[in-house]
Amino acid sequence: MCVGLPAKVVSIKDGMALVDASGAKREVSSELLDELDPGDYVMVHAGIAIAKITDDDASEAASVMGEL
């Protein structure tokens, strides 16, 4: 099973995004997404931001992960 984690974009530079996933900050590739800005939420899988999501989506995903 593959799991994507929601994260908030902190900064973007040279195709990489610094994201905050529940307090854990790390760099991920942002090259698959167009028009990504700091403050946006993304779904991250295997070190790659794979989709832009809403803050409601991020909250719901975090809630579900917390229940597991």
Side-chain angles (χ1 to χ4, degrees), residues 6-21 23-31 36-42 44 47-49:
K8 185 174 184 176
V9 177
V10 176
S11 63
I12 303 164
K13 183 178 179 183
D14 299 328
M16 297 296 286
L18 177 64
V19 298
D20 183 339
K25 292 184 179 174
R26 64 183 206 164
E27 280 195 330
V28 299
S29 172
S30 61
E31 293 189 1
L36 194 60
D37 297 309
D40 288 342
Y41 286 88
V42 293
V44 176
I48 302 170

Side-chain angles (χ1 to χ4, degrees), residues 34-61:
D34 293 330
E35 299 185 31
L36 194 60
D37 297 309
D40 288 342
Y41 286 88
V42 293
M43 189 62 64
V44 176
H45 174 69
I48 302 170
I50 59 172
K52 193 172 174 179
I53 60 174
T54 67
D55 55 345
D56 288 338
D57 293 335
S59 295
E60 183 178 350

